[in-house]
Amino acid sequence: NAGVTQTPKFRVLKTGQSMTLLCAQDMNHEYMYWYRQDPGMGLRLIHYSVGEGTTAKGEVPDGYNVSRLKKQNFLLGLESAAPSQTSVYFCASSYTFIGPTNYGYTFGSGTRLTVV
Amino acid sequence: AQSVAQPEDQVNVAEGNPLTVKCTYSVSGNPYLFWYVQYPNRGLQFLLKYITGDNLVKGSYGFEAEFNKSQTSFHLKKPSALVSDSALYFCAVRDSYGQNFVFGPGTRLSVLP
C-alpha cells in the first residue's frame, strides 16, 4: 500500500548514543517533514525538505540532523542523544500543491524513542 | 506567521449527542485548513480539508467542518457522536504560499457511552 513508512517503531537509547530514523514514501511527494510529539505540546517541526538534496530547519532543530539524498527517503539523525529527546517522532510527506484530490500531509505511524 | 489555536484541551460528550471541536487560525493569504485525527499509538489520519468553495466541508466518518472567514475559525462538527470517535484531534493550517503546515496543540475528544 502506498504511504509513509518509518523505521524503527521503537527504540531505547542511552544518553550520548547516536541513531538514525528512516522515513520512506512511495507517493513521489516533493516535501518531507520530521515532527516530534510531546504531551501537551502538539506537533513541533524539527526539519523539513522541499526536494531531493534540500533540507531546512523547523521550529526545534537543535540536536538533530537530516539528509535527503533520495527523493523517497528522509533521514533524521541524533548524534548524541539526550533525555530531552525522548518523544514520539513522526515523518510526513506532501505534494507541493494542495488541491482537491490530495490530503495535505500523509503521516507515518511514528517512532517511539526513549533516551535513558 | 501562521498560527492555530484549539482553545479546549479536552471535550467530553455523550454518545449520540452532537460534538464540536473548536479551531481558530491566523494566516497571511488564503488559508488551507485541515483536520486530522490520531488514535492511540497511531499516526495522524486525514479527516477533511478546506481549500476553496463551500464553507461547509464534509469529510470522513461523518465529520464536517465550517469555515468562517470573518471569525477565522474552522470548527469540527458531527451530528451524533460515537464512542469510537474518542481520539486526539488536530487542526492545521497552511497558507497558499507556504511549504509547511502549522498544527494546533490538539484536543482530546472523549465520547462517553
Side-chain angles (χ1 to χ4, degrees):
Chain A
N1 291 335
V4 177
T5 302
Q6 290 183 233
T7 53
K9 295 189 185 303
F10 302 94
R11 185 74 185 267
V12 178
L13 285 181
K14 293 182 179 179
T15 298
Q17 285 185 319
S18 63
M19 77 163 295
T20 300
L21 282 66
L22 172 63
C23 176
Q25 54 95 3
D26 58 5
M27 297 168 286
N28 203 34
H29 284 170
E30 286 293 333
Y31 292 176
M32 296 187 75
Y33 310 83
W34 277 107
Y35 286 88
R36 60 178 289 173
Q37 184 180 28
D38 301 292
M41 303 193 74
L43 291 164
R44 293 184 291 169
L45 182 64
I46 305 171
H47 286 280
Y48 65 99
S49 167
V50 298
E52 181 178 319
T54 75
T55 63
K57 294 180 179 179
E59 180 185 356
V60 288
D62 293 342
Y64 305 95
N65 57 74
V66 288
S67 65
R68 183 113 181 257
L69 299 179
K70 294 183 178 180
K71 185 177 183 179
Q72 64 268 33
N73 295 336
F74 194 30
L75 278 63
L76 178 71
L78 287 73
E79 290 187 347
S80 180
S84 60
Q85 294 177 304
T86 294
S87 186
V88 181
Y89 292 85
F90 286 101
C91 177
S93 68
S94 77
Y95 290 110
T96 56
F97 175 68
I98 303 298
T101 58
N102 72 59
Y103 300 130
Y105 278 7
T106 300
F107 282 86
S109 58
T111 297
R112 187 173 297 275
L113 175 66
T114 302
V115 183
V116 297
Chain B
Q2 303 164 134
S3 66
V4 177
Q6 293 179 244
E8 300 155 318
D9 293 336
Q10 174 98 26
V11 171
N12 298 320
V13 64
E15 187 174 28
N17 283 0
L19 69 88
T20 298
V21 182
K22 296 179 180 178
C23 171
T24 59
Y25 67 91
S26 173
V27 68
S28 57
N30 295 321
Y32 295 160
L33 294 156
F34 296 77
W35 276 101
Y36 288 87
V37 59
Q38 185 181 31
Y39 298 103
N41 301 313
R42 302 288 297 276
L44 279 70
Q45 300 175 28
F46 171 84
L47 269 182
L48 51 78
K49 67 183 178 190
Y50 171 84
I51 298 176
T52 186
D54 290 340
N55 290 342
L56 185 63
V57 178
K58 294 187 182 298
S60 308
Y61 313 121
F63 283 93
E64 57 189 26
E66 186 169 9
F67 170 64
N68 187 317
K69 187 173 183 178
S70 63
Q71 297 185 2
T72 61
S73 67
F74 190 55
H75 300 332
L76 181 69
K77 300 181 180 182
K78 188 174 182 181
S80 178
L82 300 172
V83 172
S84 56
D85 293 331
S86 298
L88 190 55
Y89 290 81
F90 290 95
C91 182
V93 66
R94 188 182 120 168
D95 67 45
S96 53
Y97 306 104
Q99 298 160 340
N100 300 326
F101 287 64
V102 172
F103 287 84
T107 298
R108 187 165 299 282
L109 173 67
S110 292
V111 181
L112 308 173

